[in-house]
Amino acid sequence: MKTIIQTLLIILALSSCHSNNPLQIRVEGGLIEGTADEGLSIYKGIPFAAPPVGELRWKAPQPVQSWDGVLETREFAPSPMQADTTLNTSEDCLYLNVWTPAKSKKDRLPVMVWIYGGGFSIGSTSYPYSDGAELARKGVVVASIAYRVGYLGFLAHPELSAENAEGVSGNYGLLDQIAALRWIRDNIGTFGGDPSNVTIFGQSAGGISVSMLCASPLAKGLFKHAISQSGGSFSPCREDSYPGENMKSLEMAESDGLRYALELGANSLTGLRSLPDTVFSRPYNATGGAWPIIDGYVIPDDQYRLYQAGNYNDVDILIGYNSDEGESFTASDSLTHIGNVRQRFGEYASLLLDAYPVTSNPVPKSGRDLLRDASFGWHTWAWGCLQAETGSSNVFMYYFDRHDDNAVSDIGSVHGSEVAYVFQHTGDSLPGDQELKRQIGDYWVNFATTGNPNAEGLPYWPAFTNQSRQVMYLTNQGSHAGPVPDANSMLELDGYFASRRKIRQQLRQKERTYSGCL
């Protein structure tokens, strides 16, 4: 009897210890312990799935493995294997992070889930500019999720498809994102978050991921709102990839995967799985394998067609892009730029060069805007127009245009420059920067809370409709609503993508086989 009583006392003592330590909480897998920082509880490196190593390489994420004792979640976990060797990387990379201002489970705060960018080839939750602390202090639970990138995240191969129950391969990185969202649905209440009010947000490849999750039936019901910063994926498939035209069918991607495997010297799937993970930390010349594909399962079809038919997750969206995205993708001299345009756009090149003229050297902003819109602007515009036509949820669109009117250069807001404003980390190098940071943080949090960015103390942001097509100009010189930038030029791109989609339709009818997209 004495032994039983002693055992019970020990159990009660341990239970009391856990209940008296607010930084220790139980999640799927076991107990974790985070850190406190000025009103926040922070948890870094929480596993949401089993390590995708060994036989789990190139398989859908599996349930998280339980652990004994208390797992300290105070440091970021390794980033996925990738070409950015400045990061601490590992194939064992499926972890997420949480910043919460909640005082108890009963708070049920809105939840914002960050998906990093990096062209699906690099990326990390540990980048300082996406630390979620300052954004969380605005009254939301912030999470950032990791996913496999590069060839470990998106390799398609006939043998991989053959072993899969759905007969598909690739898109493992997207399946990681979906698994993380399921974990958040099931566990975020423990952190004081509301699992019924989740907003996904991301930039570049992260924004494209948001777009794809909005189109994937596997992600249905996992989020209520979506924010895409320089994202969208509304172009048809194409054999040769360009910024904004990266999508391939399963058949195309499997052929690329075979070539990639041979480049590695692997003649079989067994050979591929036996390679050390360090092999995948450097880029290769083989095309394909490092981008999501239209597989008929995770991504059922060409997203443009899905939205035309109303086959998507109809949630509130806040979408936009930056004023000088093209600066990151345009050749430095005008002659090379014009040659690249003619090679990429074919018979449409002349129309597009008229719509986005190049009248000086180096390439002026009017020329760079063609790459801005082909990569991001048109996708955002098409997304907004399609959802405004076939959906019932709110649509809000923005144009980020922070610039210095006194600068000699005509460079505007380049790719990724808005991220620091969203996470409240930017300084005040230009007049109006602090106000712009406040506005963007408030808009994003308001939207995550209600599906509408508007509130007292902010310039009014009208919803985007096909009748008015108003966007919010987010600028350090006074945010305001206005028309879609370069709307007439965008119509020329609309014609180009429609032509590409028609060509894909004709090829499909001729071959009488389903290639996964048009």
Side-chain angles (χ1 to χ4, degrees):
M1 176 65 73
K2 182 177 180 181
T3 303
I4 295 174
I5 293 174
Q6 288 174 334
T7 301
L8 289 172
L9 288 173
I10 291 172
I11 293 173
L12 287 171
L14 290 173
S15 175
S16 175
C17 176
H18 290 155
S19 64
N20 290 333
N21 186 345
L23 295 174
Q24 282 189 4
I25 59 175
R26 184 172 294 278
V27 297
E28 182 180 349
L31 281 170
I32 62 173
E33 181 175 328
T35 58
D37 180 41
E38 298 181 7
L40 297 180
S41 298
I42 302 173
Y43 303 84
K44 297 177 179 179
I46 309 170
F48 66 83
V53 301
E55 288 301 309
L56 295 184
R57 179 183 285 179
W58 296 307
K59 286 190 176 181
Q62 299 301 302
V64 67
Q65 299 171 351
S66 299
W67 57 87
D68 296 325
V70 180
L71 179 65
E72 291 189 355
T73 53
R74 301 176 180 178
E75 304 290 339
F76 289 111
S79 304
M81 296 302 298
Q82 58 189 279
D84 185 354
T85 55
T86 64
L87 296 167
N88 174 26
T89 59
S90 171
E91 193 171 2
D92 178 3
C93 62
L94 299 185
Y95 300 83
L96 54 78
N97 318 291
V98 177
W99 294 261
T100 176
K103 303 305 179 186
S104 76
K105 298 178 183 179
K106 298 179 181 179
D107 286 5
R108 294 182 65 85
L109 300 176
V111 181
M112 299 184 70
V113 182
W114 173 251
I115 305 174
Y116 52 69
F120 296 106
S121 293
I122 62 172
S124 176
T125 63
S126 65
Y127 291 139
Y129 59 73
S130 59
D131 183 277
E134 295 305 317
L135 188 59
R137 288 192 172 95
K138 285 184 170 286
V140 292
V141 176
V142 177
S144 60
I145 61 178
Y147 60 95
R148 286 170 280 182
V149 298
Y151 295 106
L152 286 173
F154 297 96
L155 177 68
H157 189 282
E159 286 189 66
L160 285 171
S161 298
E163 75 172 16
N164 182 273
E166 303 296 332
V168 300
S169 57
N171 286 342
Y172 304 105
L174 290 181
L175 289 170
D176 294 341
Q177 296 172 15
I178 293 169
L181 289 172
R182 287 173 177 159
W183 188 98
I184 287 169
R185 176 196 61 194
D186 297 338
N187 293 272
I188 205 65
T190 305
F191 299 87
D194 183 355
S196 67
N197 192 14
V198 172
T199 297
I200 55 175
F201 70 127
Q203 182 267 341
S204 194
I208 293 169
S209 294
V210 168
S211 166
M212 293 172 174
L213 292 172
C214 285
S216 177
L218 302 185
K220 185 175 182 179
L222 295 178
F223 52 92
K224 189 174 184 179
H225 317 295
I227 300 174
S228 176
Q229 301 164 208
S230 305
S233 179
F234 287 83
S235 64
C237 287
R238 181 168 184 156
E239 290 277 5
D240 47 344
S241 297
Y242 292 95
E245 295 184 85
N246 307 87
M247 296 304 293
K248 296 189 177 187
S249 67
L250 176 61
E251 181 182 13
M252 294 175 187
E254 285 179 339
S255 296
D256 291 339
L258 282 170
R259 288 195 295 271
Y260 172 68
L262 291 175
E263 185 176 341
L264 294 180
N267 297 317
S268 67
L269 179 55
T270 300
L272 279 170
R273 283 206 171 110
S274 68
L275 293 171
D277 59 6
T278 52
V279 168
F280 305 99
S281 66
R282 60 183 190 269
Y284 285 87
N285 294 325
T287 57
W291 200 272
I293 61 170
I294 297 177
D295 60 357
Y297 173 59
V298 182
I299 304 176
D301 202 343
D302 174 344
Q303 199 160 315
Y304 193 99
R305 287 167 47 84
L306 291 174
Y307 270 67
Q308 279 184 315
N311 294 330
Y312 58 92
N313 301 316
D314 187 1
V315 299
D316 300 321
I317 59 172
L318 187 154
I319 55 180
Y321 55 100
N322 298 350
S323 62
D324 212 349
E325 305 265 15
E327 193 274 337
S328 303
F329 304 95
T330 306
S332 57
D333 68 276
S334 295
L335 188 61
T336 302
H337 168 75
I338 292 171
N340 291 343
V341 169
R342 295 196 182 282
Q343 179 179 350
R344 172 177 177 176
F345 295 103
E347 64 182 15
Y348 265 85
S350 295
L351 288 172
L352 292 172
L353 287 169
D354 287 341
Y356 298 91
V358 178
T359 56
S360 61
N361 194 48
V363 183
K365 187 174 182 302
S366 58
R368 298 194 302 271
D369 286 350
L370 172 56
L371 276 297
R372 176 199 70 191
D373 290 345
S375 303
F376 305 107
W378 179 84
H379 296 267
T380 301
W381 178 79
W383 186 356
C385 291
L386 286 166
Q387 183 157 331
E389 179 181 353
T390 63
S392 59
S393 300
N394 293 327
V395 178
F396 295 93
M397 193 178 298
Y398 74 85
Y399 181 73
F400 182 78
D401 188 28
R402 173 192 180 267
H403 61 276
D404 184 356
D405 272 351
N406 297 320
V408 175
S409 170
D410 68 345
I411 301 295
S413 296
V414 299
H415 189 57
S417 57
E418 87 292 353
V419 177
Y421 288 81
V422 170
F423 282 94
Q424 308 292 285
H425 294 315
T426 185
D428 54 356
S429 59
L430 289 178
D433 270 351
Q434 288 299 311
E435 176 62 11
L436 179 59
K437 178 178 70 173
R438 181 194 72 82
Q439 289 178 356
I440 290 178
D442 288 350
Y443 279 136
W444 264 233
V445 168
N446 292 341
F447 179 79
T449 303
T450 67
N452 189 317
N454 290 295
E456 187 177 350
L458 291 168
Y460 179 69
W461 188 334
F464 180 91
T465 69
N466 282 326
Q467 289 70 44
S468 65
R469 293 185 176 175
Q470 291 286 292
V471 305
M472 194 67 184
Y473 285 68
L474 299 172
T475 170
N476 57 312
Q477 299 175 350
S479 298
H480 61 277
V484 174
D486 301 303
N488 290 333
S489 300
M490 202 88 78
L491 291 175
E492 295 292 355
L493 271 173
D494 207 31
Y496 164 74
F497 283 111
S499 173
R500 287 289 322 287
R501 192 162 282 105
K502 182 178 180 180
I503 291 171
R504 290 296 307 167
Q505 173 73 35
Q506 292 171 342
L507 288 174
R508 174 176 147 176
Q509 291 174 342
K510 182 179 179 180
E511 296 169 0
R512 294 185 179 180
T513 58
Y514 177 63
S515 63
C517 66
L518 295 182

